[in-house]
Amino acid sequence: MAISRRQFVVGGAVAGAGALVIGVRLSGHLVRAQESDAGAKKPAPNPFDAYVHVRPDGHITLIVAKSEMGQGIKTGLAMILAEEAEVDFNSVSVEQAETRPDIYAHMGTGGSGSTQENFTPLRQAGATVRALMITAAAAKWNVPAAECEAKKGSVLHEKTDRQASYGELIEAARKLPLPNPEKVELKDENDFELIGHATPRVDIPSKVNGSAKFGIDVRVPEMVFAVVARCPTFGGKAAHFDADKAKAIPGVRDVFEIPAMGADKFSAGGIVVVADSTWAAMKGRDALAITWDHGAAASESSEGISDALRTAAQKSGARLRNDGDVDAVLSNGAKKVEAVYEMPLLAHATMEPMNITALVRAGAAEVWAPTQSPDWVQGTVASVLGLKPDKVIVHTMLMGGGFGRRYMADFPAEVAQIAKVVGKPVQLVWTREDDMTHDFYRPATCHRLRGAVDASGHPVAWFHTLASTSIRGYWDPKADAAEGESGGARQLPYAIPNVRLEFNGVNSAVPRAWWRSVEHSFNGFVVESFIDELAAAAGEDPMKFRRSLLVKPPNWKPRFEYDPDPARLLGVLNLVAEKSGWGNPLPKGKGRGIACYHSFGSYFGEVAEVTVKGNDFRIDRIVAAVDCGQIVNPESVRAQTESAIIYGLSAALKNQITIKNGAVEQTNFDAYDPLRINEAPLIEVHLLKSTEDPGGMGEPALPPVAPAVANAIFAASGQRLRKLPFQFKAA
Amino acid sequence: MAAIQLIINNASYEVDVAPDTPLLWALRDKLNLTGTKYGCGMGLCGACTVHLDGEAVRACQTPVSLVGAKKVTTIEGLSPDNSHPVQRAWIAEQVPQCGYCQPGQIMSAAALLAKTPKPSDDQIEAAMVGNLCRCGMYQRIRRAIHRASLSQAHGAQAYVAPAYCGGASSGGSAAKGA
C-alpha cells in the first residue's frame, strides 16, 4: 500500500514533517490587510508560502485554498495565479491547500464566492511573484528591471539574450523585500493569455479512470468503518437499544451510543456500529433493536407546515421594503392581480453521501473531509475533542457534490465523537437513507403577491408577503429571520412606484440551511412569475414589459446590498431574447417563457420552450444568457450554467421533501428522483463579454429556470403553475 | 466466511467476505478498488456500475457469491492510461463536474458502445437512464457518447490533453489511496 507522505501526520509525525514544507518560505508578510470572517484584520499571506511554491529544480505548484466540488475552482483560481505570475499552466501542478486559517483568510467554499473573493488578491499574489523574479534577474545580470520580461516560468533579457528560470532565481528572490501587493502592477486585460480562455479542467482526467479520491475513497492502514442509527424524528433519541444481534454479525467490532451535542445539535446523536467494512456496519445497524423516544416534534407534518405558512402569508409582517403607498393604490380602482405561490422543503442529495474519516490520538487529530468549509471542520472537531484548532489537521478531499450541504459541520462533529472512542482511523459513512432523512433542508415557503396595473398598462403596485420556515429561524428562533432570506425579493429590480415586502417566519423542527442559490431559489421563482402575471394583466409581451421596467437613471446607486444594476439585467434580457428568437411564431401547443434575474454578482436571462400535450408537457430547450463580469474560464461558466439549470429543473419538475410524524418520508432516489438524461432538455449558453469584477457562477443560473418554464407553460396553455414541483393538468 | 475467488480487471483476487456481500463493498472496502462508487445501495443511481462479462450491472445489487467465474471490469480496468474511446471523449467534452457518478456513467456508456457502436439518441437514453448525475451533465454525456462512437468508427485522432491533465493524480490531494 502506497501512502503519500502527507498522510498520517498524527499517526506518524516524522513521515509528514518534511513533506509539508513545499517551496521556499520567505520571512515577513505582505502588508496588505485582509478581512477574516471575524472581521479582524490580518496581513495578506506571503504568496510564496501560500499560493505559488517554486522549487529550485524549477517545479512550480499552485495552491488553491478553496474546495473542489466540480465547479472547476482548482483550475480557475490556478489560472488567475498563473496569468499574473507568468508561469506555464501546462507544466505546473495544482494542489489543495492545507487547512490553515492563519494563512488563508476565508477557506469556506460557498455563496458562489470563490472567484469573486479571490480574483484580485490572487492577481496581486501572482504579480508579486513575477515582480520579485524580475527584480532578482535584473540584479543578477545588472540590467534595468524594465528591460526584463517574465514568460512561462522564466525571466528573459532580450538585449543580452539571457534567460533564467524561476527555479534558478528563487534563492535570490526570497531575499528581496516584498512589495506592497496593492501597488504591484497587474497585467492589462488585453494581454490575458489564460483568463477568459477556455481551459480544460485539471481535475477531469482523474475523474474518468477512478483515481480521483473523494472523501469516501480515503483508505488508511488499520481503518474501520462506522454507521450511525439516528432517530428518524428530528430531536428524538434512543430510549433503549439492544446490540446483541448486531454484535453477532461477522465483521462488527463495536456498538456504542453517542449523544446529541451542541446548542445547534450538530450531531443528532445515535447508536454507532463500527465494523471491518461498510457493509458489515450497515448490516450490524439493521440488526440493532432500538426503541426511540421520538421527542417533541413527533407530530409535525408537511400539512401542518404548509397550513402555518399559508396563514403567515396572509398576515402583515416585518416590513423590509416600503416604497410609496401600496395600500392606497391597491384600494383604488387599478386592475388588481393576486396570487399565492408555494414551495416545498428540498434535500441536497449530493451523489456522494456524507462521510468523513478521522484519527484521534492523544492531544491531536487528523481528519480527511470532503467539505466546503475545512476551517469549520477543524474548529468543530477541535471543540468536540477539547483541542486547540491547530492540533487538528484537516485534509480537504474532493467532494461528490456540495450544493451547500457540505458546508455543514454535523458529520465532522459525529466523526470526532466516534473516533475518540475507536482510537483507530475510522470512516463514518452515511447511507443514502441517512443523507436524505438527516439533511439541512431548503426552507418551505408560501408567498402572497398583490399587484396592480393602471389603465395604460403600467404596473403601479407590488406587495409581496414572504412566509418561510427560515434558515436563520432554525439556527436562532429569536433572530431577525427576515434579513437573510429576502434576497432578490427586496432587490426587486423593476421600476414600480409602490413596492412593499413583508416577512413572517414559521417555526419547525426540520433542520434548514443553504441549498444551491439559497433564498433566490424561491424568491426568483416568485418575482419572475408574478412580473409575468402583471404583464399578462397589462396585455403586454412579457419580454417587452420587463424591458420597459428595467430603467437605470443616470445617477443610479444600489439602494440595498446586492442590488442589481438594471442595465446589466437588461443586457442579458436582450441577449437571451435575441438568441432564443423571442417573438418568432411557434406552432400551437408550444410556448416560450422568459425570466431574468441577478444573484451572487451574476446576471442571467433564460428562455424556456415547452410543448404541452394533454396532461403533460415537455421542455424542448433552455436558452441562457449570462453576464458574470470578467470571465475566468468560459468552459466552467458554461458547465456551471448547465448544471444549475438541471438542478433547478429537478426542483421545478420533480422533487420535494415531505414530513410525516416528524420524520422525512423520502428515503432514497425512488421517492426523490433528480432529473435523468431522458428528461434533460437541450441547454444553450451565451456569454456576454464584460470587464466588470467577476460574479459568482455556482448558483445564479438556477433561480430563473423554474419561472421561465412556468411562464412558457402559461404561454402554451394559459395555465399558471404557482406551486413547486409543478403539477400540470390540461384545462 | 469462506474466501471467494474473483477475476477483476484480468487479475485474480481472493476476498474473505460473507457471500451476500455486494460486489460494491468487496471492491471498495476489501480490495481498495474505490473507483466504483456507492450512491444509493438500491440500484437506483448507477454510480456503482461495473461490467460482468461485458454486461453493465449494478455492483450494489450483485452479491459476490453470484459473480462466479464471470470477469469483472471496473473503471480502473477500462484502460491503463485514459485511452479508452469513452474516456477520451469524456475528457474532450469536459463531462465531469464533481465526477462522483462518472465511473458509473462511463461503464454504462462503454457497455452500450460495445454492443451498439452507433447508438441513436433514444438508444443512449435507454442505456443511460439508470445513471443519475446530480451535476446535470447530461447533454455533455450525450455528446461524448456520440464522439466516442465516431472515434471508434473512424479512428478519429486521439485527444491530446495538456501535460498538466496527464497524471492520474491531478485531482487528488492529501490522501492518495492504496
Side-chain angles (χ1 to χ4, degrees):
Chain A
M1 181 177 287
I3 303 293
S4 107
R5 285 184 299 162
R6 290 186 65 182
Q7 278 189 323
F8 267 119
V9 178
V10 171
V14 180
L20 286 172
V21 184
I22 313 160
V24 178
R25 294 190 183 263
L26 300 183
S27 59
H29 285 281
L30 297 187
V31 290
R32 182 177 172 277
Q34 283 189 341
E35 216 163 320
S36 75
D37 270 351
K41 296 278 182 184
K42 69 173 170 184
N46 182 314
F48 287 109
D49 281 356
Y51 299 117
V52 183
H53 294 173
V54 182
R55 281 204 311 235
D57 68 4
H59 189 84
I60 295 170
T61 305
L62 302 176
I63 308 300
V64 173
K66 292 284 181 181
S67 306
E68 183 65 77
M69 49 190 147
Q71 79 278 42
I73 207 64
K74 271 189 178 163
T75 311
L77 296 188
M79 285 168 69
I80 299 167
L81 272 173
E83 178 75 66
E84 291 287 354
E86 294 290 1
V87 301
D88 182 6
F89 197 67
N90 291 333
S91 64
V92 300
S93 318
V94 178
E95 198 170 281
Q96 181 71 44
E98 297 168 61
T99 303
R100 290 281 304 273
D102 55 326
I103 297 180
Y104 306 104
H106 175 224
M107 296 195 72
T109 303
S112 297
S114 297
T115 304
Q116 299 185 70
E117 288 164 28
N118 283 291
F119 186 68
T120 302
L122 289 187
R123 286 184 71 187
Q124 290 167 343
T128 302
V129 168
R130 163 168 44 89
L132 289 172
M133 291 298 179
I134 287 177
T135 306
K140 182 179 174 182
W141 299 327
N142 199 21
V143 298
E147 288 180 4
C148 296
E149 192 191 5
K151 275 275 170 257
K152 297 197 175 215
S154 288
V155 181
L156 317 168
H157 187 248
E158 207 176 317
K159 276 188 187 168
T160 56
D161 196 25
R162 275 184 289 196
Q163 180 172 347
S165 75
Y166 283 8
E168 295 166 54
L169 294 168
I170 186 66
E171 195 66 27
R174 63 187 285 209
K175 292 179 183 132
L176 295 169
L178 288 170
N180 179 347
E182 306 244 317
K183 304 227 164 113
V184 174
E185 196 182 345
L186 301 179
K187 286 175 75 169
D188 187 288
E189 286 134 8
N190 294 316
D191 296 333
F192 284 163
E193 290 171 345
L194 274 170
I195 293 173
H197 299 269
T199 302
R201 294 218 328 266
V202 299
D203 54 328
I204 281 184
S206 71
K207 290 178 173 176
V208 303
N209 60 19
S211 66
K213 297 300 172 203
F214 297 86
I216 204 166
D217 301 328
V218 169
R219 294 290 179 267
V220 290
E222 291 182 53
M223 74 185 276
V224 292
F225 300 84
V227 298
V228 180
R230 299 170 194 81
C231 183
T233 314
F234 300 113
K237 61 176 197 276
H240 172 263
F241 74 97
D242 183 340
D244 287 353
K245 282 184 182 159
K247 285 180 174 169
I249 301 283
V252 170
R253 289 166 168 249
D254 200 3
V255 178
F256 56 89
E257 186 167 9
I258 52 170
M261 65 182 305
D264 32 26
K265 300 281 190 294
F266 265 159
S267 162
I271 313 303
V272 182
V273 180
V274 181
D276 291 343
S277 70
T278 318
W279 177 247
M282 285 159 59
K283 281 185 75 177
R285 184 173 73 171
D286 289 345
L288 286 171
I290 307 173
T291 308
W292 296 111
D293 167 2
H294 286 282
S299 62
E300 195 166 18
S301 70
S302 278
E303 291 75 19
I305 293 170
S306 296
D307 286 347
L309 287 167
R310 284 184 205 121
T311 304
Q314 298 296 324
K315 290 183 184 161
S316 60
R319 203 165 280 185
L320 300 173
R321 178 168 169 180
N322 193 29
D323 304 353
D325 190 344
V326 166
D327 292 329
V329 177
L330 287 175
S331 59
N332 280 344
K335 191 171 183 181
K336 274 170 269 189
V337 184
E338 180 159 350
V340 172
Y341 298 85
E342 291 180 85
M343 272 157 281
L345 298 163
L346 289 170
H348 297 80
T350 60
M351 286 307 298
E352 180 195 19
M354 296 306 108
N355 67 85
I356 185 166
T357 305
L359 168 63
V360 175
R361 292 266 165 89
E366 185 163 7
V367 182
W368 293 264
T371 177
Q372 295 176 243
S373 53
D375 41 357
W376 198 8
V377 171
Q378 189 176 50
T380 300
V381 170
S383 132
V384 170
L385 298 172
L387 298 172
K388 289 198 168 132
D390 64 4
K391 295 293 178 198
V392 178
I393 294 164
V394 178
H395 304 290
T396 304
M397 304 304 297
L398 289 176
M399 280 176 275
F403 314 120
R405 176 63 181 92
R406 285 193 155 94
Y407 219 101
M408 306 306 300
D410 54 334
F411 53 101
E414 280 184 348
V415 85
Q417 292 178 290
I418 295 166
K420 193 177 172 181
V421 176
V422 172
K424 280 170 170 277
V426 57
Q427 180 166 91
L428 167 65
V429 176
W430 287 38
T431 62
R432 173 60 54 197
E433 289 78 7
D434 300 337
D435 193 89
M436 203 165 277
T437 57
H438 287 83
D439 199 345
F440 291 80
Y441 302 87
R442 199 281 304 269
T445 62
C446 180
H447 311 247
R448 182 188 187 199
L449 271 290
R450 282 166 279 180
V453 292
D454 67 16
S456 60
H458 290 297
V460 288
W462 177 287
F463 185 176
H464 180 173
T465 310
L466 159 60
S468 166
T469 57
S470 76
I471 296 170
R472 279 204 183 180
Y474 172 68
W475 295 94
D476 177 8
K478 279 176 277 178
D480 172 15
E483 287 292 322
E485 285 151 76
S486 59
R490 184 184 233 181
Q491 294 86 349
L492 180 76
Y494 299 113
I496 299 172
N498 305 287
V499 176
R500 186 180 292 166
L501 172 67
E502 291 185 349
F503 173 88
N504 281 313
V506 165
N507 258 329
S508 165
V510 179
R512 287 96 64 192
W514 316 287
W515 182 94
R516 198 171 192 173
S517 81
V518 198
E519 75 265 39
H520 297 287
S521 68
F522 44 82
N523 290 332
F525 177 65
V526 170
V527 166
E528 283 303 298
S529 293
F530 196 63
I531 196 72
D532 226 68
E533 299 210 37
L534 293 185
E540 280 273 2
D541 172 89
M543 193 277 290
K544 289 179 185 157
F545 189 71
R546 284 175 174 80
R547 188 187 273 171
S548 72
L549 296 172
L550 290 172
V551 182
K552 187 177 183 180
N555 56 348
W556 182 84
K557 275 197 191 102
R559 280 176 64 193
F560 308 104
E561 208 180 358
Y562 312 118
D563 232 3
D565 177 340
R568 293 180 71 185
L569 205 49
L570 183 61
V572 293
L573 182 75
N574 286 334
L575 183 62
V576 80
E578 178 204 324
K579 297 293 184 185
S580 65
W582 185 265
N584 293 349
L586 286 172
K588 195 172 173 338
K590 286 186 183 283
R592 268 191 212 98
I594 198 163
C596 61
Y597 196 74
H598 162 267
S599 57
F600 306 96
S602 291
Y603 298 76
F604 268 89
E606 292 177 20
V607 166
E609 275 178 26
V610 303
T611 303
V612 170
K613 203 174 179 184
N615 279 337
D616 212 356
F617 68 91
R618 188 184 71 224
I619 303 170
D620 300 316
R621 92 177 160 146
I622 304 282
V623 183
V626 52
D627 170 4
C628 62
Q630 171 69 55
I631 294 166
V632 176
N633 189 356
E635 186 53 43
S636 290
V637 171
R638 289 177 187 283
Q640 288 283 78
T641 300
E642 293 166 27
S643 175
I645 284 173
I646 297 291
Y647 204 87
L649 286 177
S650 291
L653 304 180
K654 296 175 79 176
N655 297 157
Q656 63 178 322
I657 288 293
T658 55
I659 306 295
K660 191 177 178 184
N661 298 330
V664 168
E665 290 190 279
Q666 295 73 19
T667 59
N668 209 313
F669 292 130
D670 48 353
Y672 190 91
D673 190 29
L675 225 62
R676 291 176 181 267
I677 193 167
N678 58 326
E679 301 163 311
L682 184 72
I683 300 167
E684 281 174 34
V685 184
H686 300 277
L687 312 181
L688 208 87
K689 264 200 157 181
S690 166
T691 53
E692 300 271 356
D693 290 342
M697 271 310 305
E699 300 164 275
L702 190 154
V705 74
V709 172
N711 296 338
I713 290 168
F714 175 75
S717 70
Q719 196 174 145
R720 268 296 160 201
L721 299 179
R722 302 188 182 94
K723 190 172 176 180
L724 263 57
F726 297 145
Q727 287 179 315
F728 178 76
K729 283 202 177 69
Chain B
M1 284 186 282
I4 292 171
Q5 304 284 332
L6 294 170
I7 304 165
I8 304 164
N9 303 331
N10 293 320
S12 262
Y13 291 87
E14 203 166 87
V15 280
D16 201 15
V17 294
D20 67 342
T21 303
L23 177 60
L24 169 68
W25 297 112
L27 292 170
R28 291 186 52 80
D29 293 355
K30 297 296 174 187
L31 301 172
N32 282 338
L33 289 166
T34 55
T36 304
K37 303 303 185 200
Y38 164 66
C40 67
M42 292 177 69
L44 298 167
C45 77
C48 65
T49 306
V50 298
H51 296 176
L52 270 195
D53 280 348
E55 295 276 345
V57 300
R58 312 299 183 213
C60 76
Q61 299 297 296
T62 308
V64 286
S65 58
L66 293 187
V67 174
K70 288 183 180 159
K71 290 182 173 175
V72 179
T73 308
T74 70
I75 185 71
E76 291 93 343
L78 199 58
S79 79
D81 53 0
N82 283 1
S83 63
H84 188 283
V86 172
Q87 290 172 314
R88 290 212 310 260
W90 245 244
I91 293 172
E93 295 291 346
Q94 295 279 289
V95 174
Q97 285 209 9
C98 87
Y100 191 79
C101 73
Q102 297 300 343
Q105 303 276 3
I106 289 168
M107 297 310 282
S108 289
L112 165 68
L113 288 169
K115 278 199 175 155
T116 313
K118 291 181 187 172
S120 65
D121 276 345
D122 285 349
Q123 287 171 315
I124 291 175
E125 279 182 11
M128 305 301 293
V129 70
N131 289 83
L132 279 174
C133 173
R134 192 63 166 134
C135 302
M137 294 294 95
Y138 296 122
Q139 73 183 23
R140 288 171 188 253
I141 289 169
R142 205 186 284 267
R143 273 207 309 262
I145 291 174
H146 284 306
R147 178 189 275 261
S149 163
L150 280 173
S151 92
Q152 274 190 166
H154 304 295
Q157 64 185 61
Y159 172 73
V160 182
Y164 66 81
C165 281
S169 62
S170 56
S173 58
K176 303 253 168 21

